[in-house]
Amino acid sequence: MMNWIAVGTLSDIPRRGARCVATPQGKIAVFRTAEDQVFAIEDHCPHKGGPLSQGIVHGAAVTCPLHNWVISLETGKALGADEGAVRTIPVRIEGERLFIALEALASRAA
């Protein structure tokens, strides 16, 4: 059973933007696309640990602000010639409210 944690509302995150949420398992970046899709991934680039929540969102991907790596918000994998991945976190939307599942992060880290 997943433990869903409330992390705010859809309107808290600008379109093509992100918010960073501190959790016991580390920082989670919650993204909103131009089409109002919501994704959550670990907030560090697999390359050099750059803050993905500060990157540029385009489509269902984010570009790291440090070295321009492009990370899929759907899979957490680096796109193009780059290799590496971050964990994706399940997101649930109830009306305007956003929730992330922390068990998924804890169990994958074990």
Side-chain angles (χ1 to χ4, degrees), residues 20 31 78-79:
C20 184
F31 294 90
L79 301 176

Side-chain angles (χ1 to χ4, degrees), residues 42 44-47 69 71 75-78 82-88:
E42 293 175 305
H44 65 271
C45 182
H47 177 224
W69 276 40
I71 308 297
T75 66
K77 294 181 180 173
D82 298 321
E83 293 185 14
V86 294
R87 283 178 280 213
T88 59

Side-chain angles (χ1 to χ4, degrees), residues 75-99:
T75 66
K77 294 181 180 173
L79 301 176
D82 298 321
E83 293 185 14
V86 294
R87 283 178 280 213
T88 59
I89 313 303
V91 175
R92 187 172 79 195
I93 303 172
E94 292 180 4
E96 267 278 304
R97 296 181 67 205
L98 303 176
F99 299 84

Side-chain angles (χ1 to χ4, degrees):
M1 185 169 143
M2 291 192 192
N3 185 23
W4 294 96
I5 307 288
V7 294
T9 64
L10 186 63
S11 58
D12 290 339
I13 305 171
R15 282 193 173 99
R16 297 178 59 200
R19 289 291 178 263
C20 184
V21 178
T23 74
Q25 289 88 19
K27 292 181 180 177
I28 305 300
V30 182
F31 294 90
R32 177 181 179 187
T33 68
E35 296 78 29
D36 291 332
Q37 291 179 286
V38 179
F39 298 96
I41 61 175
E42 293 175 305
D43 189 25
H44 65 271
C45 182
H47 177 224
K48 298 274 186 183
L52 294 174
S53 61
Q54 296 176 27
I56 297 170
V57 177
H58 45 96
V62 61
T63 297
C64 179
L66 293 186
H67 301 101
N68 295 323
W69 276 40
V70 178
I71 308 297
S72 167
L73 296 174
E74 296 171 309
T75 66
K77 294 181 180 173
L79 301 176
D82 298 321
E83 293 185 14
V86 294
R87 283 178 280 213
T88 59
I89 313 303
V91 175
R92 187 172 79 195
I93 303 172
E94 292 180 4
E96 267 278 304
R97 296 181 67 205
L98 303 176
F99 299 84
I100 60 172
L102 285 188
E103 264 66 14
L105 184 64
S107 64
R108 289 184 193 170

